[in-house]
Amino acid sequence: MTPARPGSGNPAPADRVTAVEVFFDLVFVFTLIQLTRVLEEDLSPDGLGRVLLLFGILWWMFDGYVWLANHVPPRVPAQKLLLFVGMVGFLFAAVAVPDAFDGTGLLFGIGYLVVITVHLSLFTRAGIGSALSRLAVYNLGSALLVLVGGFVDGAARYACWLAALAVQSVVPYLVPRISWVRVLPLFRLQPEHFVERHGLLVIIALGESVVAIGMGVDTAHVGVGTVAVIALALALPAALWWTYFTDTRGAEERLAATGTERTRLALRVGFAHIPLLLGIVVAAAGIHAAAAHPGEPAGWRPALALAGGVAVYLAGIVGLRRTLHSAPVLSRLVAGVAVLATVPAGTRLNARAQLVAVVLVLAVMLLLDRRRSNRPHSQPRRLNSR
């Protein structure tokens, strides 16, 4: 492993994900569950817009913690305690998510300010504090805009939070002298930790979506249709899991083989996870609606949420494969189109029929992948069993 730089406070950089990081991810995934709840209650363009805005703000800082733990693993008690404080901030923000644009905007802003303050405090141990301090103004400015948004109402709150998202995720790329492009090469990025951390987040997000869906099933009227939906509610996330983890070994190898461009490539990998997680949120809202009324024709919005969420997830897989040049993307593109074509099955037949169709599309895609990998002269990719 690469030796730590002086002042880093750690004997070595991250190699694998620590238990406290998994705990941290569990708290963050609660924000995704809350975003799914928002979408379930308002499956409209306005509801989707609010989900996108809140997700963008929260995701930027979560991935910032991923980079933080990759560079400075939380091994000593002081670091772990600070991470727990960061979890409190994310929990405040998550609790506030359902009514963030109404009565709990201030709680959301306070939680977000805690998240950013802890992040900057922990980075003082990273050995790149002087370089990072030039960028701290962006994150702090974003946190203050989110906090100010909690004090105002209506369009002003939307404006503040849109500005906050732009300040932290867009502006740093537009200022040449103080930009992430200059800071990224200073990170000692460890591919195994980076890929595993994002993979664990995907597992937890998929698992929590299953739990949320299962809790929403009407057990007072259990029949064959309900049992089928329960099975499909697991089969669909399982197929999404398999689709993602087919590629993780190749991602580790590709990042490990990259030299000076490793951090920039890793940044693009992180961005590719945005549609992956958004897809899980949107698809979970669609599955929940299907589980509530499995034998009835679905409205076009729930049907589109189910198919669109899976298609967006597959688009994230395409982004990962294109970024890493690790595997062909045609099968994922075709599957995404085929999944979108299942919307009429939901609206004209019933939600259960659409679930069956979506699962079948993913199953055929994975079976064809398996057949190709078993052909002579092919090089099969191993599944990451972690």
Side-chain angles (χ1 to χ4, degrees):
M1 294 186 296
T2 308
R5 295 183 181 183
S8 67
N10 290 276
D15 47 8
R16 290 298 179 185
V17 177
T18 61
V20 70
E21 292 173 74
V22 179
F23 192 12
F24 188 95
D25 294 353
L26 284 168
V27 176
F28 174 74
V29 167
F30 181 51
T31 66
L32 302 183
I33 295 173
Q34 293 287 73
L35 290 172
T36 300
R37 177 182 167 188
V38 171
L39 203 55
E40 288 171 355
E41 294 177 354
D42 186 10
L43 268 173
S44 69
D46 289 342
L48 180 60
R50 288 191 287 271
V51 166
L52 291 175
L53 177 54
L54 294 175
F55 176 85
I57 292 171
L58 293 167
W59 168 258
W60 183 261
M61 281 315 301
F62 170 79
D63 218 38
Y65 274 87
V66 173
W67 284 75
L68 167 69
N70 187 279
H71 190 83
V72 188
R75 295 192 179 112
V76 300
Q79 293 169 323
K80 295 177 182 179
L81 287 173
L82 277 173
L83 267 185
F84 284 128
V85 176
M87 292 181 209
V88 172
F90 265 122
L91 188 58
F92 284 168
V95 168
V97 160
D99 298 310
F101 291 94
D102 297 314
T104 57
L106 182 57
L107 179 61
F108 183 83
I110 292 171
Y112 196 67
L113 182 61
V114 171
V115 167
I116 285 185
T117 302
V118 170
H119 185 261
L120 293 176
S121 299
L122 283 166
F123 251 123
T124 59
R125 300 171 176 266
I128 57 173
S130 60
L132 190 71
S133 63
R134 298 196 299 270
L135 293 170
V137 63
Y138 297 126
N139 287 345
L140 286 174
S142 175
L144 291 175
L145 282 168
V146 173
L147 186 62
V148 169
F151 285 99
V152 297
D153 297 314
R157 181 169 296 181
Y158 283 89
C160 284
W161 289 0
L162 282 169
L165 180 59
V167 164
Q168 67 184 7
S169 60
V170 178
V171 175
Y173 294 95
L174 303 179
V175 183
R177 293 184 60 186
I178 310 176
S179 71
W180 282 110
V181 175
R182 289 180 175 269
V183 173
L184 282 176
L186 299 176
F187 283 87
R188 300 162 292 145
L189 189 127
Q190 305 301 308
E192 296 85 358
H193 175 278
F194 191 81
V195 172
E196 184 179 20
R197 183 74 185 274
H198 284 89
L200 286 171
L201 177 64
V202 171
I203 288 179
I204 296 169
L206 288 170
E208 291 293 344
S209 70
V210 172
V211 171
I213 293 163
M215 292 181 66
V217 173
D218 182 11
T219 55
H221 302 88
V222 175
V224 175
T226 303
V227 171
V229 168
I230 293 172
L232 290 167
L234 177 60
L236 179 53
L240 296 178
W241 168 85
W242 199 301
T243 302
Y244 178 88
F245 281 91
T246 300
D247 294 346
T248 52
R249 178 67 65 185
E252 286 187 13
E253 293 172 353
R254 178 73 173 88
L255 284 173
T258 305
T260 57
E261 294 297 311
R262 178 184 297 173
T263 51
R264 295 188 184 183
L265 188 63
L267 186 66
R268 293 169 60 191
V269 168
F271 284 147
H273 279 78
I274 293 175
L276 280 167
L277 293 170
L278 280 174
I280 293 172
V281 169
V282 176
I287 298 173
H288 193 276
H293 307 285
E296 301 176 9
W300 72 267
R301 286 179 177 176
L304 184 59
L306 173 58
V310 175
V312 169
Y313 183 94
L314 292 173
I317 299 293
V318 169
L320 281 172
R321 288 189 167 194
R322 287 183 63 85
T323 295
L324 298 168
H325 303 288
S326 58
V329 300
L330 182 60
S331 63
R332 273 48 181 169
L333 291 172
V334 172
V337 173
V339 164
L340 289 174
T342 67
V343 171
T347 56
R348 296 182 182 180
L349 298 176
N350 54 53
R352 183 170 58 249
Q354 186 187 8
L355 269 172
V356 170
V358 172
V359 171
L360 283 176
V361 168
L362 295 176
V364 169
M365 179 192 73
L366 293 170
L367 285 172
L368 290 176
D369 281 354
R370 184 68 176 174
R371 289 185 63 182
R372 280 193 294 269
S373 68
N374 287 334
R375 288 176 183 172
H377 309 297
S378 67
Q379 295 181 350
R381 296 183 178 276
R382 291 180 293 170
L383 290 179
N384 190 331
S385 59
R386 290 184 300 276

